[in-house]
Amino acid sequence: MKWEVVIGLEVHTQLSTCSKIFSGSSTAFGAAPNTQASAVDIALPGVLPVMNRAAVEKAICFGLAVDAHINRTSVFARKNYFYPDLPKGYQISQFELPIVEGGHINIVVGDTVKTVQLTRAHLEEDAGKSLHEDFQGMTGIDLNRAGTPLLEIVSEPDMRSAAEAVAYARALYTLVTWLGMCDGNMQEGSFRVDANVSVRPLGQAELGTRREIKNLNSFRFLEQAINYEIQWQIDLLEDGGRVQQATVLFDPDSGETRVMRTKEDAHDYRYFPDPDLLPLVITEADIDAVRATLPELPAAMAVRFAETYGVSAYDAGLLTQSLALAQYFEAAVALCPQGKLLANWVNGELAARLNREDRALAACSLSAARLAGLVARIADGTLSSKLAKQVFDALWDSDLDADAIIERDGLKQVSDSGAIEKLVDEAIAANPKAVEEFRAGKEKALNALAGQVMKASKGKANPAQVQDILRQRLQ
Amino acid sequence: MTYTLKQLSDALASRQVSSREITTAYLERIAALNPTLNAFITVDPDRALAEADAADMARAAGSAGALTGIPLAHKDVFVTEGMLTTCGSKILNNFVGPYDAHVVSQCRRAGLVLVGKTNMDEFAMGSSNENSAYGAVKNPWDLRAIPGGSSGGSAAAVAARLVPVATGTDTGGSIRQPASHCGITGIKPTYGKVSRYGMVAYASSLDQGGPMAQTAEDCALMLNVMAGFDGRDSTCLDHGDEDYTRDLNTPLKGVKIGLPKEFFTAGLDAEVAAILQAAIAQFRTLGAELVEVSLPKTELSIPAYYVIAPAEASSNLSRYDGVRYGHRAADYKDLNDMYERSRAEGFGAEVKRRILVGTYVLSHGYYDAYYLQAQKIRRLIAQDFEAAFTQCDFILGPVAPTAAFNLGEKTNDPVQMYLSDIYTLAVNLAGLPAMSLPAGFTQQGRPVGMQLIGRYFAEAQLLGAAHQFQQVTDWHTRAPVLTPLN
Amino acid sequence: MSLSTTDVSRIAGLARLRMNEAEIIAAQGQLNGIFGLIEAMQAVDTQGVLPMAHPQEASLRLRPDAVTETDRRAAYQAVAPAVEKGLYLVPKVIE
């Protein structure tokens, strides 16, 4: 049987505010346990929540960026359950009336662009952390994270493979970091993904029973977990089994998912409007104020890159993966108006190098100006692409600019036609067989001759010139 | 010791007496009579005297306010830094407040001297004060009777003149009903007038703090201290400062007082009804005009309240889990067992009952039929008042169907207990200001209060009407005769 | 409408209240009495009535995003049942 995979994601993004969503505690990561847990955060008797304006603005900002509806009135609700990292015994969240509804995000998988619809995005508070190191057989609770603002972004079940789910998660990641609403630090839990996965016979309209994989904090785990889950569900169904609705956890060590709880013991959250908080009312003026601060969005910037700099749509998409990268490109292209060539180098050599060294762009010493200097020398014919790679390596390892390296290492391309003609004539004389083949109409033979010339020049001859002169001589 | 807040304020201002003298006298009276009444959970004489001395110094330095140096008791629902705050519950029997409630810090700032914390129904759930983990409070007028609840300790303390003034909270009548049963004056302000920050929550959309004292004038002076904007409570109203004494001397001539016909029915005890009729007559002689009004949804306030309040309470009380403060069971086998045992041991019967009711009405499949329906009825009740207030300026009625009943009389019958809240609940559901003031005594000698309900934010006018009434009556001046235990 | 002992024991579990069988039976009787009172509400036609969650028709006030709290861990943990190294201790949580 052919199976169709159906995936929807719920992504918890920590909003990068200074203070917590309902208290004036710092949200900074890494403080000593419970030193950033105020009376409100630890839910002392009598304390009350007061909403942070910045969290609201960031939610509006996201809603505008994904072309969603911003609810002019939204309501905070209590989600009731007992857990030691949840001090009040309820989480303040939004249930029936979230701040953001609808919206969409485009993703690119292979050559195709696909639109993923969003269901909603709502504001809520993060929980604390349970530390399971051994405290005489007890668990330690740190409430520093409790009350950190979250925007939970829920997608429709629009994804059909792990690759699509990852592409969506990446696109969302790009957007929330681009907007400056989330610091994107996945190790610290700033961007956490829950994946709802189900399978159904291809062509069946009704959805299969889903299982929810909780708390995935890397794109690699997201992909692994979904792929494992898909195979597990298909195997089960093909063996005549039935999928039971469940919440599962992914174990990166074993690469498997395991059940945390089933529907039978699912919580009864007893949601109701939080009587401590009045309805959140957003005015047109609030929305306009946020809209005025909205940066150019990645999709719009990609279109502009393609139109202004002649970059391919594919390259433009890559260049707008992060605001830092896009800004790097724009800085370089301002110095060297060779958009296409620059894009090749940024998306090619630079990206590969960063990836290989597992380094962020911000931590890279090759400035946009120095890369632009290199590309300028390719464009004006000073460097062949082969020499350019050599210069790139040298740029990476030093703080010299491209011209200084070319000068120092004598890497200037030879474009003196006299010198090249001499090498061409020598090559023709030394390879009569190839000459004959070319004259008999075998184009490829010319390449062999050109190769000989390049070799003789130690790679410095201008390849285009070599081709031209060879043709002249052999006609 | 029958001085009012106002009299003490004047005596302090004219240096006839010092705060230390006043405070010492009240502390002596507490020491003598509290063993009989059980009105206090905590008394802290050392702290009180230190505060009294500080008040006297402030006065000497010329920085005293109207209430500087006057002894005060807080209902044990207000968190006080450095003082035990139990909320009448075993689950908080070791909870020394690490911060001050807004009301507590306002009183401190005004220079009031905190002598201790008063007994109350556990988490303010109750109408008789029998639901305290620290024992029932006795009515100073008749030790066999309940003082009312949940602010029974505050009411008994003021009635027995153990303090000139105390704070209370009112979620469904918890200031007004004990004030009525103890023969004192108390006001529940408009919801949002007094910050709830640091007031341990029972039902957040209904809870409201207010003063309890001998007279309306005292309540007005005290409300000046308690009320006002506080940014830490998102439901606190930012109305600017107001002087609640401003209408005390406004005559009642031409004021229209509405008498809801649903409040004067067979359910009302005949003796109470007669006392109210006399009070109504008194208002008429003061120039007020009496009109009949209707609050047709009155009876529905009981089911609506007993859905909404427990629902909010069930969630509000989830934080008492034995993890960060409060009682933790000594023996447990795992986390869940620890939760269940700590809570089962820490909460009393009535609190558990309301948690169960609240959990049920919010649970899956029942929300619409109970919680949502109750919220809709809540609106109908508020609309009833809105309609009534087109015909009158105040509403007058009973506080409770009877005078204080006997201790133990209704302990095992929660339904009977709930039914006695009939006249007070609707006010909280609508969020209106209302007060109770002494109107007379039964044959048995138990006090009976009357209720005045005002429009939103009409506290000053309500207090004015009550003050005018108290200018021509003396019910509020009567104090019980009490003899210390040996 | 009437609650069964199963209902009572389910909600006691949700509310984390340990109750033995006798307590459940006693609670069942009392709760059914209370719900008898509450049922009066069901007869009311509330079609088209907006639920009222708050006494006032006001909207949420927002505070500026500023850190106003300082570390008060020592004071807060002075009243805690069990702490170690600044952490609140609870029986082992198994996920």
Side-chain angles (χ1 to χ4, degrees):
Chain A
M1 182 169 323
K2 288 278 269 179
W3 297 96
E4 184 180 40
V5 175
V6 177
I7 304 165
L9 299 188
E10 292 169 18
V11 179
H12 292 85
T13 56
Q14 283 184 345
L15 299 177
S16 50
T17 54
C18 313
S19 64
K20 292 188 179 175
I21 185 164
F22 298 119
S23 84
S25 300
S26 168
T27 55
F29 183 83
N34 292 309
T35 55
Q36 287 173 182
S38 68
V40 171
D41 306 324
I42 68 170
L44 286 180
V47 298
L48 296 167
V50 185
M51 181 69 201
N52 185 337
R53 175 179 294 278
V56 173
E57 288 167 351
K58 287 175 196 292
I60 295 173
C61 178
F62 176 78
L64 292 174
V66 297
D67 207 12
H69 175 70
I70 314 286
N71 276 325
R72 299 310 191 259
T73 299
S74 65
V75 170
F76 286 98
R78 293 183 181 180
K79 180 181 181 179
N80 294 282
Y81 65 96
F82 284 87
Y83 205 73
D85 65 15
L86 190 72
K88 294 188 291 296
Y90 57 85
Q91 178 194 33
I92 304 177
S93 181
Q94 296 190 301
F95 185 54
E96 280 183 343
L97 271 177
I99 184 165
V100 173
E101 279 186 281
H104 53 85
I105 283 181
N106 285 343
I107 61 170
V108 182
V109 183
D111 299 333
T112 52
V113 175
K114 176 170 178 165
T115 300
V116 175
Q117 299 295 332
L118 302 182
T119 313
R120 58 188 274 158
H122 62 259
L123 286 162
E124 61 183 26
E125 56 180 341
D126 210 342
K129 274 185 193 161
S130 302
L131 301 167
H132 301 289
E133 296 118 48
D134 205 31
F135 296 99
Q136 308 136 39
M138 309 276 275
T139 291
I141 306 295
D142 176 9
L143 298 173
N144 280 350
R145 195 180 69 176
T148 298
L150 295 176
L151 187 69
E152 179 176 336
I153 302 158
V154 182
S155 83
E156 289 291 303
D158 282 355
M159 287 145 283
R160 294 291 172 266
S161 66
E164 287 188 8
V166 170
Y168 164 74
R170 282 192 186 277
L172 192 60
Y173 180 89
T174 297
L175 184 65
V176 297
T177 51
W178 188 286
L179 295 170
M181 55 181 272
C182 174
D183 69 16
N185 195 325
M186 293 180 80
Q187 285 81 42
E188 292 175 5
S190 296
F191 188 91
R192 314 194 293 267
V193 183
D194 299 341
N196 284 297
V197 180
S198 66
V199 298
R200 62 181 168 193
L202 192 62
Q204 179 184 302
E206 187 192 333
L207 289 170
T209 306
R210 68 192 158 89
R211 303 214 307 168
E212 182 181 17
I213 316 170
K214 276 275 180 206
N215 249 332
L216 297 157
N217 64 357
S218 88
F219 298 118
R220 194 159 55 89
F221 293 162
L222 175 63
E223 183 157 29
Q224 284 175 2
I226 291 175
N227 279 328
Y228 175 85
E229 186 62 28
I230 291 169
Q231 199 54 52
W232 185 89
Q233 290 188 18
I234 290 175
D235 288 349
L236 179 72
L237 293 168
E238 288 188 341
D239 284 350
R242 281 179 50 191
V243 175
Q244 282 213 314
Q245 193 174 326
T247 303
V248 305
L249 283 176
F250 176 67
D251 179 357
D253 295 328
S254 66
E256 296 178 358
T257 56
R258 67 180 165 82
V259 174
M260 210 169 122
R261 58 172 181 268
T262 57
K263 198 189 175 187
E264 282 68 47
D265 47 42
H267 294 118
D268 183 341
Y269 288 123
R270 290 159 283 138
Y271 281 102
F272 75 106
D274 191 332
D276 287 331
L277 295 161
L278 299 166
L280 171 60
V281 173
I282 293 166
T283 64
E284 298 309 313
D286 294 331
I287 293 175
D288 289 343
V290 175
R291 188 179 280 123
T293 67
L294 214 58
E296 186 182 12
L297 296 176
M301 199 181 269
V303 168
R304 180 167 62 82
F305 282 4
E307 283 171 359
T308 315
Y309 306 121
V311 174
S312 73
Y314 176 79
D315 274 335
L318 290 179
L319 290 171
T320 50
Q321 283 295 299
S322 80
L323 187 59
L325 188 67
Q327 286 170 341
Y328 185 96
F329 173 77
E330 285 233 273
V333 84
L335 299 168
C336 166
Q338 297 288 332
K340 228 171 135 60
L341 200 52
L342 255 173
N344 285 342
W345 279 84
V346 171
N347 290 336
E349 206 64 22
L350 178 68
R353 201 57 186 256
L354 290 170
N355 192 36
R356 201 180 324 139
E357 299 189 9
D358 194 20
R359 216 190 281 197
L361 186 61
C364 148
S365 63
L366 178 52
S367 67
R370 292 204 296 138
L371 185 71
L374 167 67
V375 172
R377 292 295 157 265
I378 303 167
D380 68 11
T382 308
L383 293 173
S384 67
S385 58
K386 195 172 167 207
L387 288 172
K389 286 211 165 85
Q390 246 176 284
V391 175
F392 181 89
D393 289 343
L395 283 171
W396 193 264
D397 296 325
S398 75
D399 53 8
L400 297 173
D401 64 20
D403 287 341
I405 289 166
I406 292 165
E407 190 63 39
R408 183 190 72 186
D409 298 346
L411 296 175
K412 207 168 223 169
Q413 178 167 268
V414 175
S415 302
D416 167 9
S417 46
I420 295 175
E421 276 166 13
K422 185 165 168 279
L423 293 172
V424 166
D425 290 342
E426 282 168 16
I428 289 172
N431 295 286
K433 197 169 167 223
V435 170
E436 203 171 304
E437 280 172 7
F438 176 74
R439 287 198 168 126
K442 209 171 168 190
E443 268 296 308
K444 266 192 177 168
L446 193 74
N447 290 340
L449 287 165
Q452 292 294 328
V453 176
M454 289 308 291
K455 199 175 164 188
S457 76
K458 298 197 175 85
K460 290 185 208 168
N462 182 328
Q465 252 179 312
V466 172
Q467 291 268 343
D468 287 350
I469 294 168
L470 264 172
R471 279 187 198 280
Q472 282 171 24
R473 287 285 196 272
L474 293 176
Q475 252 153 30
Chain B
M1 295 305 292
T2 57
Y3 301 109
T4 64
L5 191 67
K6 177 73 172 115
Q7 289 165 338
L8 291 170
S9 171
D10 292 344
L12 282 162
S14 60
R15 313 286 172 100
Q16 288 170 277
V17 69
S18 71
S19 175
R20 178 168 261 271
E21 288 167 318
I22 293 175
T23 304
T24 305
Y26 278 105
L27 285 170
E28 280 169 6
R29 197 166 163 83
I30 291 170
L33 295 174
N34 192 53
T36 304
L37 297 172
N38 197 28
F40 282 86
I41 292 175
T42 301
V43 180
D44 191 341
D46 293 343
R47 175 168 166 161
L49 290 172
E51 286 185 17
D53 290 343
D56 286 332
M57 276 162 70
R59 191 166 299 277
S63 60
L67 304 190
T68 300
I70 293 177
L72 147 97
H74 284 305
K75 184 179 182 180
D76 210 19
V77 73
F78 290 100
V79 178
T80 37
E81 186 162 0
M83 195 181 270
L84 192 66
T85 302
T86 68
C87 224
S89 182
K90 182 185 170 189
I91 212 157
L92 287 176
N93 64 1
N94 55 5
F95 183 72
V96 176
Y99 76 99
D100 273 338
H102 181 73
V103 162
V104 173
S105 57
Q106 287 294 98
C107 291
R108 192 190 296 277
R109 200 164 301 156
L112 284 139
V113 171
L114 178 59
V115 298
K117 307 288 289 292
T118 59
N119 204 344
M120 57 183 283
D121 281 301
E122 183 178 7
F123 286 103
M125 299 182 199
S127 316
S128 69
N129 228 297
E130 292 164 292
N131 300 329
S132 167
Y134 303 90
V137 177
K138 300 209 170 105
N139 191 317
W141 291 94
D142 185 338
L143 300 178
R144 293 165 303 173
I146 56 125
S150 64
S151 311
S154 288
V158 171
R161 311 303 192 236
L162 305 188
V163 277
V165 64
T167 55
T169 58
D170 190 318
T171 306
S174 284
I175 287 176
R176 291 161 286 157
Q177 187 254 23
S180 173
H181 286 347
C182 289
I184 64 162
T185 307
I187 182 165
K188 179 205 97 73
T190 306
Y191 180 87
K193 276 277 179 182
V194 172
S195 169
R196 293 185 297 115
Y197 190 82
M199 202 175 95
V200 178
Y202 157 26
S204 313
S205 77
L206 304 165
D207 295 341
Q208 186 61 204
M212 302 174 83
Q214 290 170 44
T215 67
E217 182 178 34
D218 288 0
C219 285
L221 288 167
M222 190 60 189
L223 196 54
N224 278 348
V225 173
M226 293 175 74
F229 177 67
D230 174 22
R232 296 171 299 180
D233 174 1
S234 298
T235 61
C236 188
L237 300 161
D238 192 357
H239 273 207
D241 285 336
E242 64 178 288
D243 178 5
Y244 294 97
T245 65
R246 68 179 186 271
D247 282 329
L248 290 180
N249 297 315
T250 306
L252 286 173
K253 196 152 185 62
V255 165
K256 280 190 184 160
I257 296 179
L259 305 172
K261 59 180 187 208
E262 294 81 4
F263 280 21
F264 297 91
T265 59
L268 184 64
D269 176 77
E271 224 180 340
V272 174
I275 289 168
L276 287 176
Q277 287 310 327
I280 290 164
Q282 191 73 62
F283 271 113
R284 192 176 286 120
T285 61
L286 283 166
E289 196 183 316
L290 284 307
V291 292
E292 187 186 87
V293 295
S294 176
L295 297 171
K297 299 288 189 292
T298 297
E299 278 189 14
L300 287 168
S301 63
I302 296 177
Y305 176 88
Y306 280 101
V307 166
I308 292 169
E312 293 182 7
S314 70
S315 176
N316 283 333
L317 270 57
S318 292
R319 67 188 59 198
Y320 306 102
D321 58 5
V323 174
R324 298 162 315 285
Y325 48 79
H327 175 74
R328 177 185 285 199
D331 296 306
Y332 45 83
K333 59 179 202 292
D334 56 27
L335 177 69
N336 202 53
D337 199 38
M338 186 199 88
Y339 282 154
E340 292 194 341
R341 284 178 193 275
S342 301
R343 290 166 60 79
E345 292 168 10
F347 291 136
E350 180 61 22
V351 168
K352 286 182 196 170
R353 249 190 314 269
R354 295 197 194 184
I355 290 176
L356 291 175
V357 170
T359 303
Y360 187 73
V361 298
L362 290 175
S363 69
H364 187 70
Y366 300 97
Y367 180 85
D368 287 5
Y370 291 111
Y371 189 73
L372 213 59
Q373 176 73 352
Q375 298 270 40
K376 290 176 180 173
I377 290 174
R378 182 176 189 177
R379 187 169 302 277
L380 296 177
I381 288 168
Q383 288 168 351
D384 271 4
F385 279 110
E386 210 176 309
F389 280 124
T390 61
Q391 298 166 264
C392 62
D393 301 301
F394 303 115
I395 289 169
L396 187 154
V399 178
T402 63
F405 47 87
N406 286 336
L407 286 156
E409 196 179 315
K410 295 183 180 177
T411 328
N412 294 318
D413 195 346
V415 168
Q416 281 312 306
M417 197 77 98
Y418 297 175
L419 287 170
S420 70
D421 298 337
I422 175 91
Y423 303 120
T424 49
L425 301 176
V427 160
N428 298 80
L429 290 167
L432 294 164
M435 61 186 299
S436 172
L437 64 156
F441 290 82
T442 62
Q443 294 291 324
Q444 224 184 344
R446 295 184 185 182
V448 171
M450 71 172 137
Q451 182 172 210
L452 287 180
I453 305 169
R455 298 191 179 102
Y456 291 113
F457 316 118
E459 289 81 4
Q461 295 92 308
L462 271 182
L463 290 161
H467 182 72
Q468 291 300 304
F469 181 84
Q470 291 180 336
Q471 295 308 294
V472 295
T473 56
D474 68 353
W475 309 113
H476 60 286
T477 65
R478 304 203 185 173
V481 179
L482 286 155
T483 42
L485 287 178
N486 285 320
Chain C
M1 207 232 47
S2 151
L3 278 81
S4 65
T5 51
T6 317
D7 291 330
V8 176
S9 118
R10 182 178 62 86
I11 55 177
L14 274 175
R16 299 295 186 274
L17 291 171
R18 168 64 45 96
M19 290 173 82
N20 62 32
E21 213 167 311
E23 288 167 331
I24 287 174
I25 290 166
Q28 182 197 15
Q30 286 167 337
L31 293 185
N32 279 326
I34 295 168
F35 276 97
L37 202 64
I38 289 173
E39 287 311 311
M41 217 172 58
Q42 303 303 348
V44 185
D45 180 8
T46 53
Q47 194 114 41
V49 178
L50 226 54
M52 179 173 165
H54 293 281
Q56 259 96 45
E57 302 287 334
S59 62
L60 190 61
R61 202 171 47 239
L62 304 175
R63 69 178 165 82
D65 179 26
V67 176
T68 52
E69 294 288 339
T70 52
D71 172 22
R72 294 203 61 210
R73 185 176 79 180
Y76 296 154
Q77 294 197 338
V79 292
V83 286
E84 192 177 312
K85 294 179 179 148
L87 297 160
Y88 295 98
L89 296 190
V90 297
K92 195 120 202 122
V93 175
I94 304 142
E95 276 207 334

